[in-house]
Amino acid sequence: MSLKGKDFLSLADFSAKELWSILEKALEVEKNLDRFSNVLAGRFFALIFEKPSTRTRVSFEVAIRQLGGTPLTFNWIELQLGRGETVGDTAKTLERYVHGIIARVVEHKTLLELAKNTEIPVVNALSNLCHPCQALSDMLTIYKLKGKFEGLKLAWVGDGNNVCHSLLIACSKFGLDISVATPKGYEPKKEIVKKALEEAKNSGSRIELTNNPRKAVKNADIIYTDTFVSMGKEAEKRKRLKVFLPRFQVTTKLFDYAKKDCIFMHCLPAKRGEEVTDKVIDGPKSVVWFQAENRLHLQRGLLASLMG
Ligand code: CP
Ligand code: NVA
């Protein structure tokens, strides 16, 4: 199976088998880094960030270098994009210099516009709609820790945001059950839930939406949360914290309702004291640093699959 030259905009664009092949590649590269140290030799990658990033940016830069390629990283505003050059014209120009574009954007449609205007692969490094690199990397983390997907339940507690969207698709593709607890009005987008339900018919995963965090975490193997105030939502911060707190905060008490060996995951950055307490994120059930590390392993598997 070859994924060479493909865009990576949403997990929904790939079959479960294709996504598995990326995880397998990530594991293979991790074990044999020397053997893969030249797969991107002579290749250049434009990393464009319209929003801040620590994990995604650094893990992609390191991954590209470890595979022999060269990353070129830019803030949106320092390119002519910041002065109004169109996304399409930028894409047509960049493909004359580089072999792939990795972009973090405000609006998902910007990624579609980039992809429409270039033949080189475009990778979604987070958009308002989804964060596929994060969720696929989370599948790698879960697989490494639990050794399987079947029979596992992931409980999402918090905002029905971009990360939640990608986890819905990932779980429904890989056959994990997923229960999403959000306050009313903060549910994941209907179109995403519909896609996940379609996928679930093939994989057998069960998908539940609720407004009750305790219900969601019942018998869960994984409790996952993310900020209540995503990038770009800062103006809504006061209102959001009022809606989400205290009920949707992940506390040690909430873990009483989950399985004994339930782990805690968070894509990071965390707002300690908001969506999660220090006690949970720094506690024995938390796997967040291992999870962050796996971003690097997944990025390598992804790059080797799409562009190696
Ligand atoms: N999880 C994640 O994407 O982190 P950054 O915003 O630091 O890239
Ligand atoms: N939902 C968060 C994820 C950050 C990695 C945001 O979009 O800001």
Side-chain angles (χ1 to χ4, degrees), residues 67 126 178 225:
L67 301 184
L126 179 147
I178 176 167
T225 191

Side-chain angles (χ1 to χ4, degrees), residues 51 104 126-127 131 134 161-163 226-227 229-231 267-269:
K51 293 173 169 185
R104 170 167 288 195
L126 179 147
S127 70
H131 196 1
Q134 178 69 53
N161 64 14
N162 45 5
V163 176
D226 180 19
T227 180
V229 190
S230 282
M231 289 180 275
C267 56
L268 305 177

Side-chain angles (χ1 to χ4, degrees), residues 11-28:
L11 298 181
D13 301 336
F14 294 85
S15 69
K17 229 172 154 184
E18 289 172 327
L19 296 177
W20 254 116
S21 77
I22 299 172
L23 295 189
E24 277 165 0
K25 184 67 81 182
L27 292 167
E28 192 188 346

Side-chain angles (χ1 to χ4, degrees), residues 2 10 13 49 56 59 62 67 71 126 128 155 157 191 225 233 282 288 304 307:
S2 174
S10 164
D13 301 336
F49 287 87
T56 308
S59 61
V62 173
L67 301 184
L126 179 147
N128 61 330
V157 179
E191 74 206 56
T225 191
K233 300 277 184 204
D282 297 327
V288 299
M307 307 175 200

Side-chain angles (χ1 to χ4, degrees), residues 124-197:
N124 179 356
L126 179 147
S127 70
N128 61 330
L129 186 66
C130 54
H131 196 1
C133 296
Q134 178 69 53
L136 194 56
S137 159
D138 294 337
M139 293 299 117
L140 186 62
T141 298
I142 293 169
Y143 187 72
K144 284 180 176 180
L145 291 173
K146 303 276 184 187
K148 60 171 187 177
F149 292 129
E150 297 74 28
L152 296 181
K153 177 182 177 184
L154 184 149
W156 174 273
V157 179
D159 188 17
N161 64 14
N162 45 5
V163 176
C164 174
H165 288 160
S166 286
L167 284 172
L168 269 164
I169 302 293
C171 288
S172 63
K173 294 259 184 197
F174 284 103
L176 292 86
D177 295 339
I178 176 167
S179 184
V180 175
T182 67
K184 283 203 173 69
Y186 294 86
E187 289 87 359
K189 276 190 193 303
K190 285 202 174 75
E191 74 206 56
I192 302 284
V193 176
K194 198 172 146 216
K195 270 196 188 128
L197 286 168

Side-chain angles (χ1 to χ4, degrees), residues 71-98:
L72 307 165
T73 303
F74 308 100
N75 286 322
W76 188 270
I77 47 162
E78 68 186 326
L79 297 175
Q80 293 288 10
L81 280 164
R83 291 181 55 252
E85 184 169 20
T86 68
V87 170
D89 290 353
T90 304
K92 286 179 200 147
T93 304
L94 286 178
E95 74 173 5
R96 303 291 167 129
Y97 311 135
V98 303

